[in-house]
């Protein structure tokens, strides 16, 4: 995302902020989906919100969201 809320690290999309900083987004989606739902209710940038929504729907492949061709998320 453009604001750096999520980063690419070792082929995974990870949090770049908050209490889950450094944790893979897919892992947080599995273990704390309520946190991601809460994030969606905040003023999250549209591109970051899309990543969160996709993670909640488990639309992930190895290394990031399905259909993601580049390393920057």
């Amino acid at each position: 995302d453009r604001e750096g809320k999520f980063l690419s690290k070792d082929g995974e999309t990870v949090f770049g902020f908050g209490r889950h900083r450094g944790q893979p987004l897919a892992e947080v989606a599995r273990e704390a989906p309520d946190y991601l739902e809460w994030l969606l209710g905040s003023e999250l940038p549209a591109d970051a919100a899309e990543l969160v929504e996709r993670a909640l729907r488990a639309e992930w492949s190895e290394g990031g969201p399905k259909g993601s061709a580049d390393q920057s998320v």
Side-chain angles (χ1 to χ4, degrees):
D1 71 286
R2 286 180 249 179
E3 291 187 19
K5 300 284 187 191
F6 298 97
L7 310 168
S8 181
K9 180 179 177 186
D10 298 327
E12 288 190 279
T13 301
V14 299
F15 274 81
F17 73 103
R19 65 177 169 179
H20 292 289
R21 180 181 303 223
Q23 284 185 272
L25 179 55
E27 177 182 306
V28 176
R30 285 189 308 273
E31 297 177 5
D34 54 327
Y35 177 72
L36 296 185
E37 293 287 349
W38 175 82
L39 271 183
L40 289 174
S42 68
E43 292 188 26
L44 201 60
D47 56 346
E50 181 181 345
L51 288 171
V52 170
E53 288 169 352
R54 291 174 75 179
L56 284 169
R57 292 191 310 256
E59 293 182 4
W60 291 87
S61 63
E62 183 87 20
K66 289 181 183 174
S68 177
D70 64 57
Q71 292 286 16
S72 63
V73 292

